[in-house]
Amino acid sequence: MHDLLKLTIREILALYASKTLSPSEYWSAVEARVEAFEPHVQALYLYNPESARQQAAASTERWMKGETLGLLDGIPVTLKELIATKGDPVPLGTAAVELVPAAEDAPAAARLREDGAVIFAKTTCPDYGMLSSGLSSFHPLSRNPWDLTQNPGGSSAGAAAAGAAGYGLLHIGTDIGGSVRLPAGWTGLFGFKPSHGRIPVDPFYVGRCAGPMTRTVEDAAISMATLSRPDWRDGTSLPPNDFDWMDFEIDLKGMKIGLMLEAGIGLPVEAEVRDAVTVAARRFEEAGAEIIPVEPIMTRVMLDGLDNFWRARFWGDIEKMPEERRALILPYIHQWAEGGTYISGVEAVRGFNQTIEMRKAAGALFTRVDAVLSPTNPIVSYPADWASPTNDPSKPFEHIGFTVPWNMSEQPAASINCGFSSSGMPIGLQIVGPRFGDLVVLKLSRAFEQWTGGITRWPEPPTA
């Protein structure tokens, strides 16, 4: 990897400010990395290096004049394909959608553009963002840079693949049940899902958040000052925050941290994952925190209810679509969604009500602890061409037991690398904070990163 690509956003900005590096020069290093990796991982959609060169040149001129637009001026960034950018189609990962140019930037895109970031591509996702996979009926198959036979996870699949491959420092994903944290865990990235409303989204969906996927905690934190500015289009958008996103100071002595080693439902936790998370918890204990074993939040009733609600809602979205277009949806997704035809309105409402039960269970747990540690993913990895870790449309969500409750409870949560499996694949530790306790999650994550030294080795392009 080019030495420039090993630097943090803060370090790059310092070089820009001292005029020892220009945004154009930095973009050249990123572009070379994309050229080396993209034929193998296929993480990008609408990749436009010429536009990136022009944006970087404009940023270079602003830095030379001392007239930068904002904190991220000249920093290359990608946005998940579901996040609209003006003038570009939003295919939603599926061949079934007509390609109509977006009328305006979604909130995250607008904030980045206002601050002068170099938006050089969108990143791939599966059909409608409904899979934890890089499999799509529209995009080429996205793969995990650590092992091209393995899945990057999803639905922010391309964002995870791009981040792990080293396509710059900042990739924005979205997360309804774990779609930032799950792929971050499987690719060794830091993935941050903030409190609901902290980063405005449009369109709104229950539990839907946007969040940064980066190689370091600091890179995610520095981006939050830009991404968290309010936007009227999101009725849940939080007021402007009055804290310093780069404040990582924390005293762990006496802090009560729950350790959740079972999800309560779904795939059992593999031994290597359990061991890595247990060792990580020990680090916090050694720093003075009290580690308290806690029971899972999720139940089979909760997960099945959520599944029913999602199926019914999604089938309602697509049932009036012309049959020839609906037939283009990934068969796995279509088969899963068809189950919505048999779900009554009453059953769908009962399913939705399980999101309230998750919120209540999360609230009760956080009366006893200040934060929670758990695995991000129950398993180490799965094949690149699988639609999900079970590859079974009748059991599509057996892997989200650790992640989805925090979407429904609107709490901040992150995934950070806590080791590697015997097969060489990354393992993710999830850190969850109280509602609106975004800084708690970042502080704990930063402390863990400093103890471990973070990941110093990243994938290199295949030679064949």
Side-chain angles (χ1 to χ4, degrees):
M1 183 183 287
H2 193 292
D3 286 346
L4 283 178
L5 300 181
K6 298 176 183 178
L7 302 178
T8 66
I9 290 176
R10 179 176 52 82
E11 290 168 335
I12 292 294
L13 292 174
L15 292 176
Y16 288 172
S18 66
K19 297 182 173 56
T20 55
L21 176 72
S22 74
S24 290
E25 291 168 332
Y26 183 64
W27 167 251
S28 293
V30 174
E31 184 175 339
R33 185 72 173 177
V34 174
E35 289 176 358
F37 246 116
E38 185 59 11
H40 307 285
V41 301
Q42 301 186 108
L44 304 182
Y45 170 62
L46 296 180
Y47 173 49
N48 191 335
E50 180 56 36
S51 171
R53 293 182 204 118
Q54 294 171 2
Q55 293 176 66
S59 178
T60 296
E61 187 172 342
R62 291 193 295 270
W63 277 101
M64 292 301 293
K65 293 180 178 179
E67 298 174 352
T68 53
L69 296 178
L71 184 60
L72 297 178
D73 204 321
I75 298 298
V77 61
T78 68
L79 289 152
K80 187 176 179 178
E81 183 247 275
L82 300 180
I83 301 172
T85 47
K86 185 177 180 179
D88 297 323
V90 185
L92 305 178
T94 179
V97 169
E98 296 185 37
L99 299 181
V100 179
E104 59 184 357
D105 285 333
R111 300 296 86 77
L112 290 165
R113 214 181 296 278
E114 289 164 1
D115 273 13
V118 176
I119 300 175
F120 67 91
K122 308 296 281 293
T123 51
T124 63
C125 68
D127 290 52
Y128 298 96
M130 289 303 301
L131 300 176
S132 192
S133 173
L135 186 64
S136 162
S137 65
F138 180 81
H139 300 293
L141 178 64
S142 297
R143 296 176 180 272
N144 195 320
W146 290 97
D147 181 342
L148 297 177
T149 71
Q150 298 301 294
N151 212 297
S155 62
S156 302
Y167 298 2
L169 299 170
L170 180 58
H171 307 275
I172 312 303
T174 60
D175 189 317
I176 292 177
S179 289
V180 161
R181 290 156 291 155
L182 294 168
W186 277 311
T187 56
L189 296 178
F190 179 69
F192 181 49
K193 181 202 81 67
S195 295
H196 189 89
R198 185 70 72 194
I199 297 177
V201 298
D202 180 43
F204 168 84
Y205 191 87
V206 174
R208 184 173 187 241
C209 297
M213 302 172 72
T214 60
R215 294 206 308 276
T216 69
V217 176
E218 182 183 272
D219 283 348
I222 202 169
S223 75
M224 287 300 297
T226 295
L227 295 168
S228 65
R229 293 201 294 269
D231 192 295
W232 69 268
R233 290 172 290 177
D234 184 347
T236 67
S237 178
L238 296 177
N241 45 259
D242 57 358
F243 44 78
D244 179 4
W245 285 103
M246 299 293 282
D247 176 11
F248 297 121
E249 292 298 318
I250 188 169
D251 184 358
L252 289 164
K253 292 182 178 62
M255 193 172 186
K256 297 181 186 297
I257 300 180
L259 177 59
M260 185 183 293
L261 291 174
E262 298 294 339
I265 45 86
L267 296 172
V269 178
E270 292 180 349
E272 288 184 290
V273 174
R274 177 188 295 272
D275 291 347
V277 170
T278 301
V279 170
R282 208 168 292 141
R283 294 270 193 165
F284 288 94
E285 189 172 43
E286 291 167 356
E290 179 184 357
I291 301 299
I292 303 171
V294 296
E295 296 299 313
I297 282 180
M298 292 294 291
T299 65
R300 175 52 59 183
V301 172
M302 288 177 182
L303 188 65
D304 288 350
L306 187 63
D307 188 4
N308 283 343
F309 168 63
W310 279 348
R311 285 182 199 243
R313 188 187 187 282
F314 185 62
W315 186 253
D317 288 342
I318 68 171
E319 67 172 336
K320 293 184 179 179
M321 182 183 290
E323 181 57 38
E324 64 272 16
R325 297 208 68 84
R326 202 167 70 211
L328 298 175
I329 296 173
L330 193 74
Y332 182 103
I333 291 291
H334 194 280
Q335 184 179 339
W336 167 77
E338 275 188 315
T341 62
Y342 307 106
I343 297 169
S344 70
V346 171
E347 289 174 313
V349 170
R350 285 176 181 154
F352 174 80
N353 286 344
Q354 289 304 315
T355 68
I356 309 301
E357 295 305 310
M358 291 180 218
R359 181 189 292 263
K360 287 165 60 178
L365 173 58
F366 269 78
T367 64
R368 299 188 286 119
V369 298
D370 303 307
V372 168
L373 305 177
S374 80
T376 304
N377 311 297
I379 65 172
V380 167
S381 65
Y382 54 104
D385 59 355
W386 281 20
S388 73
T390 63
N391 208 32
D392 181 352
S394 69
K395 298 178 179 179
F397 303 124
E398 300 301 298
H399 58 290
I400 66 173
F402 287 116
T403 53
V404 71
W406 317 115
N407 293 78
M408 303 310 152
S409 65
E410 304 187 359
Q411 292 174 232
S415 178
I416 189 168
N417 178 260
C418 65
F420 288 82
S421 69
S422 57
S423 61
M425 299 304 290
I427 296 173
L429 167 71
Q430 183 175 225
I431 301 175
V432 185
R435 192 169 179 230
F436 307 135
D438 302 73
L439 284 186
V440 173
V441 172
L442 292 174
K443 288 170 186 281
L444 292 173
S445 300
R446 173 69 166 177
F448 183 76
E449 183 180 58
Q450 290 185 315
W451 297 330
T452 62
I455 296 180
T456 57
R457 175 183 62 87
W458 289 90
E460 287 299 329
T463 55

